[in-house]
Amino acid sequence: MTKRLCVIGGDAAGMSAASQVRRSSKETEVVVFEMGSDVSYAACGIPYFIAGLVPGIDDLVARSASAFREQGIDLRLRSEVKAIDASSRRLEVWDHESSSSYEEPFDYLMIGTGARALMPPGFELAYPAHNLNDARQLDELIQSNRPKRVVVAGGGYIGLEMAEAFRIRGLETHMVEMQDHVMATLDTEMAVHVEDALEKAGVELHLGAGISQVLSEGGRVTGVVAGEREIPCDLVVAGLGSRPRSEIASEAGIEIGESGAIAVDHAQQTSVDGVYAAGDCAEVFHLVRQRWVNIHLGTIANKAGRVAGLNIAGGRARLPGVVGTAMSRICETEVARTGLSEREASTDGRDYVSAAVTTSTRAHYYPGAGEMHLKMLADPDTKEILGTQIVGLEGAAKRIDVIATAITAGMTVSQVVDLDLSYAPPFSSVWDPVQVVARRLSSVMDSSSE
Amino acid sequence: MTKRLCVIGGDAAGMSAASQVRRSSKETEVVVFEMGSDVSYAACGIPYFIAGLVPGIDDLVARSASAFREQGIDLRLRSEVKAIDASSRRLEVWDHESSSSYEEPFDYLMIGTGARALMPPGFELAYPAHNLNDARQLDELIQSNRPKRVVVAGGGYIGLEMAEAFRIRGLETHMVEMQDHVMATLDTEMAVHVEDALEKAGVELHLGAGISQVLSEGGRVTGVVAGEREIPCDLVVAGLGSRPRSEIASEAGIEIGESGAIAVDHAQQTSVDGVYAAGDCAEVFHLVRQRWVNIHLGTIANKAGRVAGLNIAGGRARLPGVVGTAMSRICETEVARTGLSEREASTDGRDYVSAAVTTSTRAHYYPGAGEMHLKMLADPDTKEILGTQIVGLEGAAKRIDVIATAITAGMTVSQVVDLDLSYAPPFSSVWDPVQVVARRLSSVMDSSSE
């Protein structure tokens, strides 16, 4: 008997689930409701579009609406789901085209509503860089108003990448970060290397005070106030984080987790049978913190969406969880982290030991070798790795994947020292940098246990 | 009471052990005998010296003889150990400086005699590229004779890197490989991508017939005969592999393994108590093949030498083993492998399934994205990954480390699909290439079990 899957949201999580069901189950009808006009786009690519490295905004679309339709997915754009009736298993859909609403029944539901950019009061004239519409507007504004000075609010991943984009585009670029250092996901001693890279890239940093006011004249931005300072500018872009869009689920009586995102199990099912959620709007299990968290990354959305799809199609897939891996780049400098930072370990009340090294991205004699800073944390009792942070030049950041894998496998620090990792002079020293920091941490643990 | 450690061989394994003992045990006297004039050098850097990328040969020395002496190591150059008397615990040493021999007692012995380049009969006029002396001679020859056409014998890692070096130096470069394809450590479908890269780099390939004769006139090379062909040239460089230098150990009654290298346990101890061996001359345990093998790589020599040193200093270190990881590069193309190739799996009588994909080194829209080919093997019963091969452009090869780590941890293919790996558009697609091939292999296994 034919079953009907309705999917709310046509980005990474929603379309991964829809495609997976389409592939795995011929009998399931798949209907996707997307409130905007774009599907399956790479929000992570927005900074590179703004920088001018990606020729057109359509290049950021991984797969077009028509490709999904050809696959047999009933994809409805500008169709906003206003309410979920979990007991009668019906959706209330608002069609922005015809300005009318209708109801749609479902057997299975997949919620992939994503997140919204955090825009505090007073930021009405600031621009987010959250979806393709934001990107279009921002690009149009830059082309029409020709701003000369931009303030990037927030020194996280988006802020970092947008700052690089504006520098490439030739704008005088300021970054305002409320905390004393950029990149709150890194410990201070690692964040300062990112700050060096930002300054080297020509970004002026204003740390330790957030933006209290966006100044304007006649609807045009003229500057911002950050602490005691006034920074004149003609454009403000906000990278202040994002919040899960979980209201529609909450209103339907679906359980919301402590993080404010939709609570799910490892099969991506919510508290309501047959109703799944994945991506930025849902929680995901953190294998190191051993609790459910809410992290907004495309990698997680794709994996979780796929697992939801496999299960809706009758499979028994489980997403074990994440370990907090993330990476970014500011010009030549790469940044990556996985597991717990010292700050997170403290917050969680975890006992830890740590070590840091500065090493080289290549063999010492090979031309073009650059600095690479690593910091590693471990549990002093089990000796298991808790987390690692890397800041360095070409080839530095992707090494975090070795540690993400090791943490997932529950490896100890000395097991990483023993790993049979690859080596050639253009790529590393004979001990890979992740093993250099592991050896240092191993010594620290040995001497502290004597 | 002071104990004396004698170390035979002053390269990676020997000096790692010596340094480790010097650091960990103040009471142990450390004497190192090196038959040549160089210590602790990076043989892997020789191609880059020949290419002219590394200014001087001394740049390849990781740590100078005087630095080791300052550390308190009694380092004796041009001192060749001719015999080991394991029962009386004495060495017979030939001093090349004074042309005289003497005896030296030891409490502990560490054998790090390395390997010698394989030079078949008839190759007397060919040059190896095995140690710094070879490199010096080769460089001098190129400067004095100004050869125009070089034949590289052997299409393995050394052959690949030497071919690149000669192309950089502007020589017409031919590669002769006895087998039908280069890179015997890769399966054919992957090796052909390396052949494409060699041809793109301007290297002329001669496959399927080895060199039967090196032609010469008046002591100068004029060409080689390979199968039916005669290839004129004025320089022949051999990268035909290497053999462990285990004779001295064998003659002392120390057990030699099936591979022809010195048999050791996971503590690096040989069949004689207190006598250790590590590096190219010794065996190492292959965690996937579950047997002792002999692999000549600096990474293994450094790790095994360190473990030997820790144990000589009274520790209880163990080297679990290796998984067969190796990498190389030919111009822009990176090559890496770990675990078992299809050929090795067949040789070992292992059941396997495999899948291959071609994907991209970056997000599809990010400029400069290049092709990347991956092949993965798994055990059809346990679903554990058996091996992976990668050939691709910038950033491709180092990804092998994720799989080396996963194999070491005994991960299944679907556990790799679930890994929380890092992502940013300049570095990968949202599913890392190692996960793309793992997903493909997962599908193959699912459909074959249906």
Side-chain angles (χ1 to χ4, degrees):
Chain A
M1 202 186 69
T2 303
K3 298 264 188 175
R4 165 178 287 198
L5 163 66
C6 285
V7 177
I8 312 176
D11 200 7
M15 294 321 291
S16 289
S19 296
Q20 190 60 55
V21 171
R22 186 66 297 138
R23 275 198 298 272
S24 308
S25 160
K26 299 292 165 227
E27 316 82 60
T28 310
E29 189 186 346
V30 181
V31 189
V32 178
F33 303 95
E34 165 55 44
M35 66 175 178
S37 307
D38 302 301
V39 284
S40 194
Y41 59 89
C44 319
I46 292 173
Y48 309 101
F49 167 70
I50 296 296
L53 298 175
V54 177
I57 195 115
D58 292 340
D59 294 311
L60 297 185
V61 175
R63 205 158 177 203
S64 68
S66 58
F68 284 111
R69 286 180 181 135
E70 278 164 29
Q71 203 190 347
I73 291 172
D74 180 357
L75 174 58
R76 306 185 190 174
L77 298 177
R78 293 175 52 70
S79 299
E80 189 172 350
V81 175
K82 292 289 194 182
I84 303 166
D85 187 332
S87 53
S88 73
R89 296 185 98 76
R90 297 181 84 80
L91 300 178
E92 184 196 326
V93 185
W94 176 258
D95 180 353
H96 285 272
E97 269 334 295
S98 64
S99 290
S100 61
S101 74
Y102 61 97
E103 289 202 343
E104 195 75 36
F106 63 84
D107 298 297
Y108 297 104
L109 181 65
M110 158 67 198
I111 307 172
T113 42
R116 57 171 62 85
L118 198 63
M119 299 292 277
F123 271 68
E124 290 74 17
L125 290 172
Y127 281 76
H130 192 75
N131 59 36
L132 293 199
N133 249 348
D134 299 337
R136 281 187 195 98
Q137 288 181 19
L138 191 51
D139 185 56
E140 278 164 26
L141 180 94
I142 295 172
Q143 298 207 19
S144 59
N145 285 13
R146 306 241 162 237
K148 291 192 173 48
R149 291 162 62 108
V150 59
V151 165
V152 175
Y157 294 100
I158 305 277
L160 219 63
E161 291 163 7
M162 290 306 292
E164 173 181 336
F166 291 123
R167 289 302 298 144
I168 292 175
R169 204 133 165 181
L171 275 74
E172 184 183 319
T173 307
H174 297 256
M175 177 177 280
V176 178
E177 167 57 51
M178 189 170 62
Q179 305 294 327
D180 289 339
H181 294 282
V182 300
M183 297 297 286
T185 54
L186 300 183
D187 291 324
T188 301
E189 69 208 274
M190 300 299 286
V192 294
H193 299 301
V194 180
E195 290 163 8
D196 288 348
L198 281 161
E199 281 168 359
K200 214 178 131 202
V203 177
E204 197 168 320
L205 288 178
H206 309 270
L207 304 174
I211 294 175
S212 54
Q213 207 185 337
V214 176
L215 306 169
S216 64
E217 259 181 49
R220 283 178 83 133
V221 167
T222 57
V224 300
V225 179
E228 311 273 287
R229 286 181 89 153
E230 195 178 310
I231 307 163
C233 68
D234 30 27
L235 174 62
V236 180
V237 171
L240 296 166
S242 44
R243 291 291 171 269
R245 285 186 190 268
S246 51
E247 300 82 355
I248 196 180
S250 170
E251 287 158 11
I254 296 167
E255 194 186 322
I256 303 297
E258 267 183 41
S259 69
I262 302 166
V264 292
D265 60 18
H266 289 279
Q268 299 302 134
Q269 191 167 255
T270 68
S271 59
V272 176
D273 198 50
V275 176
Y276 294 75
D280 294 0
C281 66
E283 294 195 323
V284 67
F285 192 71
H286 196 303
L287 293 163
V288 187
R289 308 189 93 162
Q290 284 287 306
R291 58 188 172 85
W292 294 87
V293 297
N294 180 229
I295 300 175
H296 302 169
L297 285 173
T299 47
I300 302 174
N302 274 280
K303 287 189 190 91
R306 173 177 170 270
V307 166
L310 285 166
N311 291 323
I312 291 163
R316 298 171 57 90
R318 298 288 177 271
L319 185 66
V322 297
V323 292
T325 311
M327 80 185 295
S328 185
R329 198 182 65 168
I330 168 76
C331 299
E332 301 299 298
T333 300
E334 305 178 4
V335 186
R337 55 99 66 215
T338 192
L340 303 186
S341 65
E342 212 167 311
R343 192 178 297 123
E344 288 169 325
S346 300
T347 304
D348 288 7
R350 291 285 288 262
D351 207 10
Y352 64 87
V353 277
S354 77
V357 298
T358 295
T359 174
S360 169
T361 54
R362 298 178 174 186
H364 66 96
Y365 53 82
Y366 197 89
E371 269 197 354
M372 182 169 171
H373 310 277
L374 300 100
K375 179 178 178 177
M376 184 178 274
L377 274 73
D379 184 306
D381 298 322
T382 65
K383 317 285 186 198
E384 283 177 15
I385 298 175
L386 290 176
T388 295
Q389 299 159 55
I390 301 177
V391 181
L393 296 178
E394 189 192 346
K398 257 291 177 185
R399 286 177 153 94
I400 205 72
D401 289 349
V402 173
I403 304 300
T405 307
I407 289 177
T408 305
M411 282 189 179
T412 63
V413 175
S414 64
Q415 282 177 316
V416 166
V417 173
D418 291 336
L419 281 174
D420 186 18
L421 302 183
S422 61
Y423 158 67
F427 303 101
S428 68
S429 46
V430 68
W431 289 92
D432 190 90
V434 300
Q435 296 179 308
V436 174
V437 69
R439 283 182 68 180
R440 180 69 56 86
L441 182 51
S442 209
S443 310
V444 169
M445 289 193 294
D446 287 349
S447 59
S448 66
S449 66
E450 271 165 13
Chain B
M1 202 185 70
T2 303
K3 297 263 188 176
R4 164 178 287 197
L5 162 67
C6 286
V7 177
I8 311 177
D11 200 6
M15 296 319 291
S16 289
S19 295
Q20 191 60 54
V21 172
R22 186 68 294 140
R23 274 198 299 274
S24 307
S25 160
K26 298 292 165 226
E27 317 81 61
T28 310
E29 190 185 344
V30 181
V31 189
V32 178
F33 303 94
E34 164 55 44
M35 68 176 176
S37 307
D38 301 301
V39 286
S40 193
Y41 59 90
C44 319
I46 292 172
Y48 309 102
F49 166 70
I50 296 297
L53 297 176
V54 177
I57 195 117
D58 292 340
D59 293 312
L60 298 184
V61 175
R63 204 159 176 204
S64 68
S66 57
F68 283 111
R69 286 179 181 137
E70 279 165 27
Q71 203 189 347
I73 291 172
D74 180 358
L75 174 59
R76 304 183 192 177
L77 297 177
R78 293 173 55 68
S79 300
E80 189 172 351
V81 174
K82 292 289 192 181
I84 302 166
D85 186 332
S87 53
S88 74
R89 298 186 95 78
R90 296 179 84 81
L91 300 177
E92 186 196 322
V93 185
W94 177 258
D95 179 353
H96 285 271
E97 269 331 298
S98 65
S99 290
S100 61
S101 75
Y102 61 96
E103 290 201 339
E104 194 76 34
F106 64 83
D107 297 297
Y108 297 104
L109 181 65
M110 158 68 198
I111 307 173
T113 43
R116 60 171 59 84
L118 198 63
M119 298 294 278
F123 271 69
E124 291 74 17
L125 290 172
Y127 282 76
H130 191 75
N131 58 37
L132 293 199
N133 248 348
D134 298 337
R136 280 186 197 101
Q137 287 180 20
L138 190 52
D139 185 56
E140 278 165 26
L141 181 94
I142 294 173
Q143 298 208 17
S144 60
N145 284 13
R146 308 239 160 238
K148 292 194 171 44
R149 292 163 61 107
V150 60
V151 166
V152 175
Y157 294 100
I158 304 277
L160 219 63
E161 290 164 7
M162 290 305 292
E164 173 181 336
F166 292 123
R167 290 302 298 142
I168 292 175
R169 206 135 164 179
L171 275 74
E172 184 183 318
T173 307
H174 297 257
M175 178 177 280
V176 178
E177 167 58 51
M178 188 170 64
Q179 305 293 328
D180 289 340
H181 293 283
V182 300
M183 299 296 289
T185 54
L186 300 183
D187 290 324
T188 300
E189 69 209 271
M190 300 300 285
V192 296
H193 299 302
V194 180
E195 290 163 7
D196 288 347
L198 281 160
E199 281 168 0
K200 213 178 132 201
V203 176
E204 197 169 317
L205 287 178
H206 308 270
L207 303 174
I211 293 174
S212 55
Q213 209 186 336
V214 176
L215 306 169
S216 64
E217 259 180 49
R220 283 179 83 133
V221 167
T222 57
V224 299
V225 180
E228 311 273 285
R229 285 181 89 153
E230 194 178 311
I231 307 162
C233 68
D234 32 27
L235 173 62
V236 180
V237 171
L240 296 166
S242 44
R243 291 291 171 269
R245 285 184 189 269
S246 52
E247 300 83 355
I248 196 179
S250 169
E251 288 158 10
I254 296 165
E255 193 185 325
I256 302 297
E258 267 182 41
S259 69
I262 303 167
V264 292
D265 59 17
H266 288 278
Q268 299 301 137
Q269 192 167 255
T270 68
S271 59
V272 177
D273 197 52
V275 175
Y276 293 77
D280 293 0
C281 65
E283 293 194 324
V284 68
F285 192 71
H286 196 302
L287 293 163
V288 186
R289 308 190 92 163
Q290 285 287 307
R291 56 187 173 86
W292 294 87
V293 298
N294 180 227
I295 299 175
H296 302 168
L297 284 175
T299 47
I300 302 174
N302 274 278
K303 287 191 190 90
R306 173 176 170 270
V307 166
L310 285 166
N311 291 324
I312 291 164
R316 296 171 57 89
R318 297 289 177 272
L319 186 66
V322 298
V323 292
T325 311
M327 79 185 294
S328 186
R329 197 182 66 169
I330 169 76
C331 298
E332 301 299 300
T333 300
E334 305 178 3
V335 186
R337 54 98 68 217
T338 192
L340 303 187
S341 65
E342 214 168 311
R343 193 178 296 123
E344 288 169 325
S346 301
T347 304
D348 288 9
R350 292 284 288 261
D351 207 11
Y352 65 87
V353 277
S354 76
V357 298
T358 296
T359 173
S360 168
T361 54
R362 299 178 174 184
H364 69 276
Y365 52 82
Y366 197 89
E371 269 198 353
M372 182 168 171
H373 312 276
L374 299 100
K375 178 177 177 177
M376 184 178 274
L377 274 72
D379 184 306
D381 298 322
T382 65
K383 317 285 186 200
E384 284 177 13
I385 298 175
L386 290 177
T388 295
Q389 299 159 56
I390 303 176
V391 181
L393 296 178
E394 189 191 348
K398 257 293 178 182
R399 284 175 155 95
I400 206 71
D401 289 348
V402 172
I403 304 302
T405 307
I407 290 177
T408 305
M411 283 187 178
T412 63
V413 175
S414 65
Q415 283 178 313
V416 167
V417 173
D418 291 336
L419 281 174
D420 185 19
L421 302 183
S422 61
Y423 158 65
F427 303 101
S428 68
S429 46
V430 69
W431 288 94
D432 190 272
V434 299
Q435 297 179 309
V436 174
V437 70
R439 283 182 67 179
R440 180 69 55 87
L441 182 51
S442 208
S443 310
V444 169
M445 289 193 295
D446 287 350
S447 58
S448 67
S449 67
E450 268 165 17

